Amino acid sequence: MLEILFLLLPIAAGYGWYMGRRSVRHKQSSDRKKLSRDYFTGLNFLLSNESDKAVDLFISMLDVDDETIDTHLSLGSLFRKRGEVDRSIRIHQNLIARPSLTTEQRDIAMMELGKDYLAAGFYDRAEEIFLNLVKQDDHSEAAETHLIDIYQVTKEWQKAINIIKSLKRKRQQCLKHNCAHFYCELANEEPDESAQIKLLQAAIKQDPFCGRAILTLAQKFLDLGEPSRCKDMLYKLIEADIELVPDALATCRQVFQDSHDATGYCDYLRQALQHGAGASVAITLAQHLIDQGETKAAEKLVLDGLYRHPTMKSFQHLMQMQVQQAEDGQAKESLTMLEKLVEQQIKFRPGYRCGECGFPSHSLYWHCPSCKSWGSIKRIRGLDGE
């Protein structure tokens, strides 16, 4: 009898192991079914626009399986994109509160929470989160990018500059254009003239092709009675950003007029045209030639420009010259009426457009109201523009 019992012991052990495995598999299967059922229930709540119930259910599921963290991060991002930032904040706050998260998972959740606060307009809370993330050695560049975005919204230009200066050199080069505009914004807020000039010079040092800083400095030197430095800036503008020369024409005319330098004024306009300036510069030069009594040269200049790059502006100016030369009668009246119609057409058309998003405007903006790009709005080229 005892021998039979010894023979049955391995069988009993094997049966116990089998039943144990079966029980574990049954529990895992049951958990998976419950998890699957809960997810379907949560999705049902979402589709039924019962977002609050969905959030509560998904948060409670964290207690079931830590592998659902990625799903919750995606869910929080989805709520944020839908504009339901409060629900996204709840999800990410509950994630961060879990002690079982790894450092990497917590940093990701913190980054998402910072984005939530940014989307909700809680800039102070978002700033605090991103500043803490930036202090870590292995932080991503996204935290610094979001900090720069915050400082642009809150107009804390010096803080934005400091963040850019703390970046790696390659990253700094990518943002030098924006940094130059931040210096220009600081100059706008500075009441002291000499401090303004230093900030504008810092902008040019940051980005030698910052047309905004060069154009502003030209006007500053004109106001301060320094024509030589003003002219230096105007010539620098031709090299840096030829598309801004039409916006400098008033300053240009004034500084050369004050210097009694008609020849220099003409040379400047011709040099700008050689570098690709548009119809506005050509028309200004044509008018200057007319004032000097060189009507034929002015007409040829406008006609040559129309052949190369036809624009409504040049066409209108040509008609104005023809009206002045025409004899009184029906033909002159018809030509005058046509010129006025073209003038009205030009007035209704936007003169500027953003090169990034296509935002049209009648005025020059340094910061695009649509896509928030810096220095992307330029004068329109083509038939309706330059």
Side-chain angles (χ1 to χ4, degrees):
M1 186 68 178
L2 193 58
E3 293 175 353
I4 295 173
L5 286 174
F6 275 111
L7 289 172
L8 290 175
L9 277 174
I11 297 173
Y15 180 74
W17 175 82
Y18 169 75
M19 291 302 291
R21 285 293 303 273
R22 184 178 177 183
S23 175
V24 169
R25 283 199 300 270
H26 179 73
K27 185 178 184 306
Q28 288 176 341
S29 175
S30 177
D31 288 345
R32 278 196 298 269
K33 287 180 180 178
K34 184 179 184 303
L35 188 61
S36 177
R37 186 168 61 251
D38 286 344
Y39 268 111
F40 278 118
T41 303
L43 290 173
N44 229 355
F45 284 140
L46 283 177
L47 294 173
S48 303
N49 289 323
E50 297 182 87
S51 301
D52 287 327
K53 292 181 180 179
V55 172
D56 292 335
L57 181 60
F58 282 123
I59 289 174
S60 69
M61 288 169 61
L62 280 172
D63 297 329
V64 178
D65 193 346
D66 285 343
E67 292 180 359
T68 61
I69 289 174
D70 289 338
T71 305
H72 284 72
L73 288 171
S74 300
L75 181 65
S77 178
L78 175 64
F79 278 126
R80 184 172 63 245
K81 290 176 181 177
R82 287 179 53 180
E84 300 178 73
V85 185
D86 54 335
R87 296 186 175 93
S88 181
I89 290 174
R90 284 179 56 198
I91 289 176
H92 294 135
Q93 284 178 335
N94 276 276
L95 276 174
I96 294 167
R98 289 183 58 80
S100 59
L101 290 185
T102 64
T103 302
E104 183 180 359
Q105 289 171 333
R106 182 168 283 101
D107 287 347
I108 294 173
M110 288 291 289
M111 174 66 75
E112 293 300 314
L113 183 59
K115 292 179 183 178
D116 294 339
Y117 287 143
L118 188 57
F122 300 144
Y123 299 121
D124 52 343
R125 299 183 190 180
E127 179 187 7
E128 183 180 355
I129 287 176
F130 294 133
L131 282 174
N132 288 331
L133 289 173
V134 164
K135 291 176 183 177
Q136 300 180 20
D137 295 332
D138 56 347
H139 70 276
S140 67
E141 292 180 348
E144 291 154 336
T145 301
H146 289 308
L147 277 173
I148 294 171
D149 290 340
I150 290 171
Y151 295 143
Q152 287 184 78
V153 174
T154 57
K155 301 185 183 302
E156 297 177 272
W157 310 114
Q158 189 60 57
K159 285 186 177 181
I161 292 169
N162 294 340
I163 291 292
I164 292 175
K165 287 185 175 181
S166 70
L167 300 173
K168 294 179 181 178
R169 182 172 294 275
K170 186 176 180 181
R171 180 75 170 143
Q172 284 187 41
Q173 288 299 309
C174 295
L175 293 172
K176 67 179 183 180
H177 178 72
N178 290 20
C179 191
H181 279 278
F182 298 160
Y183 276 114
C184 291
E185 292 292 335
L186 281 176
N188 284 345
E189 298 173 356
E190 177 60 54
D192 183 65
E193 288 278 358
S194 59
Q196 288 177 13
I197 291 173
K198 287 180 180 178
L199 288 167
L200 291 168
Q201 289 171 335
I204 297 173
K205 184 178 180 180
Q206 188 71 30
D207 179 13
F209 298 97
C210 181
R212 175 187 182 181
I214 297 169
L215 179 61
T216 308
L217 269 177
Q219 184 61 50
K220 289 287 179 190
F221 291 139
L222 175 64
D223 295 339
L224 291 171
E226 300 185 47
S228 177
R229 297 179 76 182
C230 176
K231 291 176 184 177
D232 288 342
M233 288 297 107
L234 289 173
Y235 278 104
K236 188 178 182 67
L237 185 63
I238 292 177
E239 302 290 338
D241 194 343
I242 191 64
E243 294 188 43
L244 281 179
V245 171
D247 296 287
L249 287 175
T251 301
C252 179
R253 181 171 54 253
Q254 187 65 50
V255 71
F256 281 102
Q257 184 177 323
D258 292 346
S259 304
H260 305 287
D261 187 5
T263 303
Y265 181 49
C266 185
D267 290 342
Y268 177 83
L269 295 175
R270 289 190 185 280
Q271 185 173 330
L273 283 175
Q274 290 172 2
H275 281 75
S280 295
V281 175
I283 291 169
T284 302
L285 178 57
Q287 188 59 51
H288 173 71
L289 291 173
I290 291 172
D291 294 341
Q292 299 295 314
E294 301 179 46
T295 306
K296 292 295 182 183
E299 188 173 337
K300 184 178 183 303
L301 176 69
V302 175
L303 278 171
D304 289 345
L306 275 169
Y307 284 130
R308 289 194 306 270
H309 306 291
T311 66
M312 297 291 284
K313 286 182 178 180
S314 297
F315 182 53
Q316 183 204 0
H317 192 73
L318 181 63
M319 284 191 292
Q320 284 178 345
M321 289 190 291
Q322 295 296 328
V323 167
Q324 290 172 2
Q325 298 175 30
E327 296 181 357
D328 292 338
Q330 184 64 37
K332 183 173 183 178
E333 291 178 5
S334 299
L335 195 58
T336 302
M337 183 180 296
L338 181 59
E339 187 269 327
K340 295 298 181 185
L341 288 172
V342 174
E343 182 183 13
Q344 289 300 315
Q345 180 73 6
I346 293 172
K347 284 182 178 179
F348 284 121
R349 296 278 184 172
Y352 299 86
R353 180 173 289 122
C354 176
E356 296 294 329
C357 69
F359 174 79
S361 170
H362 289 276
S363 304
L364 175 60
Y365 292 98
W366 299 117
H367 195 206
C368 177
S370 177
C371 67
K372 309 304 180 185
S373 298
W374 287 97
S376 60
I377 293 182
K378 304 288 185 181
R379 284 181 177 258
I380 293 174
R381 289 273 180 168
L383 185 63
D384 291 328
E386 295 294 321

